[in-house]
Amino acid sequence: MAIHPGETYERAFTVMEGDSTTHVTCSSCLEGGEWLQEQCGGYCFGLIGEDLLDHWWEEGIRTMELGRLIVGYRRRRYVADVFR
């Protein structure tokens, strides 16, 4: 998904096995990342929406907060696809 002009985002610089990469994450996806950080201890850049959905199907973790994060992610993704 694209981050549009004026939208807030986080930029992260990482180095793994000698390779450096810069990742940008929009503010709405960061909410999901924060939830994943609390529940699992981390998340993969670019896979926040998929990780949230995977957790939805786990026993005993289905909460209103998780559902809200998934719906928000899907709405943002739909808008990004429509206005491509």
Side-chain angles (χ1 to χ4, degrees), residues 22-49:
T22 301
H23 303 274
V24 292
T25 307
C26 69
S27 58
S28 60
C29 289
L30 281 174
E31 287 183 50
E34 289 170 4
W35 186 90
L36 289 166
Q37 184 70 38
E38 290 174 15
Q39 298 297 316
C40 320
Y43 60 91
C44 294
F45 292 105
L47 297 175
I48 292 172

Side-chain angles (χ1 to χ4, degrees), residues 1 8 24-25 28 30 32 38 41 49 56 62 65 70-71 73:
M1 287 184 280
T8 58
V24 292
T25 307
S28 60
L30 281 174
E38 290 174 15
W56 180 256
R62 234 178 245 194
E65 180 185 14
I70 292 169
V71 168
Y73 178 82

